[in-house]
Amino acid sequence: MIEPQVIRQAGEVTERKQGFLSSRLKRDEVLLGYALLVPSFLFIGLVIGYPLVRSLQLSLNRFKLTAGVDSEQFCGLCNFQSLFRDPFLEVYLRNQAIWVLGATFLPILFALVLALLMDRELRGRWFWRSVVLIPWMMPIATTALTWRWIYDRQWGLLNYYLRQVGLISENVGFLTDKFWLWPSILLMAMWMWFPYNYVAILAALQAIPKEMREAARVDGCTAWKEVWYITLPSIRPVLTLLTVLGLIWSMNDFTAIFLLTEGGPGIDSTTLAPLVYKVSFRYYDLGKGAAIGMVLMLISLIFGAIYLQMVKAEEK
Amino acid sequence: MIHARRTLRKMSEQLPIYGALFALTLFIVVPFLWLVTSTVRPVSELYVYPPRWIPQTFSLAAYQKAFQTFAKPLLNSAVYGIVTAILTLVVACPAAYSLTRLNYPGKRSVTGIFLLTQMLPFVLLLLPLYIIYLKLGLYNTRLGLIIGFTALTVPYSVLLLRSFFAGLPIELEEQAMIDGCTRLGALWRIVLPLSTPVLVAVVLSSIVLVWNDVLFTIFLSKDLEVQTASVALYRFFTVRSASGGVAQKEVMLAGGVILTLPVIVLFTFLQKYIAAGITAGALKG
């Protein structure tokens, strides 16, 4: 017969042993946890982390390559001051506002209309679905090239059709004319960015319970009322999410405008991201270029914080 | 009879919907069709007024020239895409596993860093990156470009993988570890085989990112020898138009179509995985 005392003691020993073991296990787990992160942080550190820190430093220094490669000198907020005194600041900000709002809301609006139309039993569903994905599949270089060709002053398709309809009497340079410039840029933005929004909105539409709509219809709701009172409120979370994402992406986007107009003519389509490039790589004012980038980053981080809050709220 | 009348009524109700759909679809396909039809004609028919939708003579001469011009950049794009995708998996899977299954201080901030990288204006990074690439001898090299691409794909992929791993039942791994599997063994033998859809989504999005990238390649390289097809196309259309020559337009347009074809093939065959990638709650599409 074994004494209860002994059993208890044995139990304590195992407990103690387990405690020791688990603390060792825990330490191993912590080490392994960090070790597995190392490779990804090597890449991110070199390509994103270091340049980010260096940009922050540059934005606080006066550094113009035209004054020499070793002319870098701390100057506090001088670059930001120079940016806010820039005589063209108003133009850049106006461009940025047109671009960000247009390139965010036009694709969402187009996607919404398309998704509302597609969310039903359709003949040739497969066909409509594949067609919608075309702009998504085109690489942006091809997209820009195609639209440049459509907008071509002499041989462009758009000039021909607008003249046929009588909207214009002679050929227009869509990417050089002050009036047509932004509508042309935003038309391309709408065309190439609606598919992502469309896929997300359609998924949300299909998640609305059928009973809700049927009930509305039984109560004599017209199609318009159904959309306004049932459908739109149900997909509001997705729409807000897409809006914030769109704002962040278009805010930081460089490629679309760079490929279509290079920010021109002059500075007429220069938004902040292409401006960073122009100031640093063409005017060699590295400090000011970095400062503009910093302003851009701060704005997108504010939107980023809003986005994260929304995702968190959604998860709850 | 009644049946026929009902279908007729249904069709007339739906007519405005089909009409609207048709109009929107027209807007979506016209640019693409115009691009394609512009490439299958002799140059003489490219510059005609009024524009001709259907060429009088059919010619693939533009494609022949485009293939010669873009062969090397296309090969570069393909190689970079595949290498970047593999490297991304090797780097991102352990990180995502660490973030879902292991406990250590600072885990939330690490996730935050990955999210943060998705919201940065990349132009801001280009100048310092350009300088450090010059210093390290990575500028204008294949290795340098692949490192840059991988750094771009990793954060997004980690987030994607993380949300997928978190949805897998942990019991299977615990079972395997009781049977003597190590942590990494569990990742390799249990988690990864169960994650095929999201792994394909990661590979696919990495390849497409490399294929479409213009920004990084332009700033981190200068010779067409090492550059990707997207950048070759971009350089071709800016350089040509800057020098005032328009003679090569048909080659550029054909190049644009060639550039799109592989993406269409990938999308068509792997459509369900793309949907999986989007619904996994990833940040970027």
Side-chain angles (χ1 to χ4, degrees):
Chain A
M1 259 227 20
I2 307 164
E3 296 283 319
Q5 179 81 19
V6 178
I7 296 176
R8 214 181 306 135
Q9 273 178 354
E12 272 168 23
V13 169
T14 20
E15 248 170 48
R16 217 179 299 144
K17 206 173 165 191
Q18 264 176 357
F20 164 73
L21 252 180
S22 73
S23 87
R24 225 186 79 186
L25 270 179
K26 225 171 234 162
R27 210 187 54 211
D28 283 356
E29 190 176 312
V30 171
L31 284 179
L32 183 65
Y34 288 134
L36 293 181
L37 290 173
V38 169
S40 54
F41 270 77
L42 284 179
F43 281 97
I44 296 174
L46 173 73
V47 178
I48 300 174
Y50 166 78
L52 192 61
V53 174
R54 179 78 179 109
S55 285
L56 182 64
Q57 188 193 12
L58 271 175
S59 72
L60 299 173
N61 290 354
R62 176 172 288 123
F63 189 11
K64 294 182 183 176
L65 280 187
T66 44
V69 272
D70 47 5
S71 69
E72 187 170 358
Q73 204 181 11
F74 180 77
C75 76
L77 296 176
C78 70
N79 292 311
F80 295 92
Q81 280 168 350
S82 140
L83 171 64
F84 290 118
R85 278 198 217 110
D86 194 312
F88 298 115
L89 183 66
E90 213 174 299
V91 181
Y92 299 135
L93 290 182
R94 193 205 60 188
N95 291 343
Q96 180 80 0
I98 298 176
W99 166 249
V100 169
L101 295 177
T104 302
F105 289 108
L106 288 176
I108 293 179
L109 207 65
F110 187 86
L112 179 64
V113 173
L114 192 66
L116 286 173
L117 289 173
M118 293 277 277
D119 183 31
R120 67 190 75 237
E121 296 291 317
L122 281 178
R123 276 162 193 282
R125 211 183 174 82
W126 178 87
F127 168 77
W128 302 106
R129 294 227 153 154
S130 331
V131 159
V132 165
L133 293 178
I134 288 176
W136 206 358
M137 295 188 280
M138 256 161 81
I140 189 161
T142 307
T143 305
L145 171 69
T146 307
W147 283 94
R148 276 177 163 218
W149 178 225
I150 289 172
Y151 290 149
D152 192 280
R153 182 174 200 136
Q154 212 175 344
W155 311 105
L157 206 56
L158 194 61
N159 263 315
Y160 172 72
Y161 285 125
L162 287 189
R163 274 178 75 167
Q164 288 288 304
V165 186
L167 260 174
I168 51 175
S169 53
E170 53 186 274
N171 280 10
V172 177
F174 289 101
L175 298 175
T176 48
D177 183 277
K178 264 204 185 334
F179 175 79
W180 291 99
L181 180 64
W182 278 109
S184 309
I185 294 173
L186 292 177
L187 190 70
M188 179 182 99
M190 179 167 98
W191 187 83
M192 66 180 183
W193 282 337
F194 83 84
Y196 178 78
N197 297 293
Y198 164 79
V199 172
I201 293 173
L202 191 66
L205 284 178
Q206 286 168 347
I208 300 174
K210 275 217 166 68
E211 297 77 33
M212 247 164 90
R213 296 181 177 188
E214 274 159 20
R217 227 166 285 163
V218 169
D219 291 346
C221 232
T222 61
W224 288 113
K225 277 191 173 168
E226 189 193 317
V227 166
W228 189 252
Y229 290 109
I230 311 275
T231 317
L232 286 183
S234 321
I235 59 168
R236 217 182 60 192
V238 178
L239 292 180
T240 1
L241 214 65
L242 288 173
T243 305
V244 180
L245 276 182
L247 290 173
I248 297 175
W249 291 339
S250 53
M251 184 99 60
N252 293 333
D253 188 79
F254 169 85
T255 315
I257 286 189
F258 186 69
L259 290 187
L260 195 62
T261 66
E262 291 182 58
I267 57 164
D268 286 345
S269 65
T270 302
T271 54
L272 292 182
L275 184 64
V276 174
Y277 155 76
K278 269 190 189 168
V279 172
S280 310
F281 282 86
R282 289 208 191 145
Y283 309 150
Y284 302 113
D285 191 341
L286 310 191
K288 192 174 170 186
I292 301 166
M294 281 294 153
V295 172
L296 196 54
M297 187 178 84
L298 281 179
I299 306 173
S300 21
L301 286 186
I302 293 171
F303 283 106
I306 298 174
Y307 169 79
L308 290 182
Q309 283 304 316
M310 284 167 48
V311 173
K312 248 189 220 161
E314 190 117 312
E315 275 167 4
K316 275 176 200 162
Chain B
M1 183 62 195
I2 292 171
H3 182 73
R5 201 182 297 160
R6 200 177 292 158
T7 9
L8 206 69
R9 215 186 73 196
K10 211 175 160 189
M11 268 180 71
S12 69
E13 265 174 18
Q14 295 227 321
L15 209 61
I17 288 170
Y18 278 94
L21 217 77
F22 181 74
L24 295 187
T25 313
L26 208 62
F27 168 67
I28 299 169
V29 292
V30 156
F32 179 70
L33 290 182
W34 182 238
L35 169 71
V36 174
T37 180
S38 298
T39 57
V40 293
R41 55 181 76 189
V43 195
S44 56
E45 275 196 66
L46 195 59
Y47 303 106
V48 284
Y49 197 88
R52 246 176 243 154
W53 271 96
I54 295 163
Q56 284 166 343
T57 35
F58 180 82
S59 158
L60 288 176
Y63 282 92
Q64 204 183 352
K65 273 196 231 161
F67 269 117
Q68 283 165 9
T69 316
F70 289 103
K72 185 96 201 206
L74 280 169
L75 187 68
N76 283 343
S77 287
V79 171
Y80 297 163
I82 292 165
V83 175
T84 301
I86 295 171
L87 212 55
T88 303
L89 283 182
V90 171
V91 169
C93 285
Y97 183 78
S98 160
L99 287 175
T100 34
R101 292 290 194 251
L102 299 169
N103 281 311
Y104 45 87
K107 208 164 96 165
R108 284 179 64 89
S109 342
V110 171
T111 315
I113 291 174
F114 284 119
L115 272 170
L116 183 76
T117 59
Q118 299 295 294
M119 296 165 190
L120 295 177
F122 274 113
V123 262
L124 176 64
L125 311 175
L126 286 173
L127 187 94
L129 193 60
Y130 169 75
I131 294 170
I132 197 175
Y133 260 52
L134 279 177
K135 276 191 192 147
L136 295 176
L138 289 172
Y139 180 73
N140 202 29
T141 64
R142 296 196 157 82
L143 180 67
L145 287 175
I146 289 173
I147 290 175
F149 291 140
T150 309
L152 288 187
T153 55
V154 160
Y156 161 72
S157 305
V158 169
L159 294 171
L160 195 66
L161 289 164
R162 189 185 76 116
S163 58
F164 191 89
F165 288 175
L168 292 176
I170 199 165
E171 290 78 18
L172 286 169
E173 288 158 65
E174 284 172 350
Q175 194 68 47
M177 283 192 284
I178 288 168
D179 292 346
C181 225
T182 60
R183 279 260 175 211
L184 291 180
L187 168 64
W188 182 251
R189 294 212 173 84
I190 312 287
V191 176
L192 291 185
L194 287 173
S195 308
T196 325
V198 73
L199 296 182
V200 176
V202 166
V203 167
L204 205 61
S205 61
S206 304
I207 291 178
V208 171
L209 181 136
V210 173
W211 196 264
N212 291 352
D213 174 77
V214 175
L215 184 60
F216 256 60
T217 316
I218 289 182
F219 288 105
L220 299 183
S221 61
K222 63 178 186 336
D223 294 332
L224 264 182
E225 191 73 5
V226 299
Q227 288 181 321
T228 56
S230 275
V231 170
L233 186 67
Y234 154 76
R235 284 183 57 166
F236 214 44
F237 71 70
T238 47
V239 171
R240 295 285 155 164
S241 60
S243 65
V246 283
Q248 299 288 313
K249 189 119 216 162
E250 76 282 5
V251 182
M252 286 154 40
L253 294 168
V257 176
I258 294 172
L259 204 60
T260 312
L261 288 179
V263 189
I264 293 183
V265 171
L266 276 181
F267 261 71
T268 316
F269 283 105
L270 301 168
Q271 213 168 11
K272 62 176 178 182
Y273 294 110
I274 297 169
I278 293 169
T279 47
L283 191 68
K284 198 161 182 172

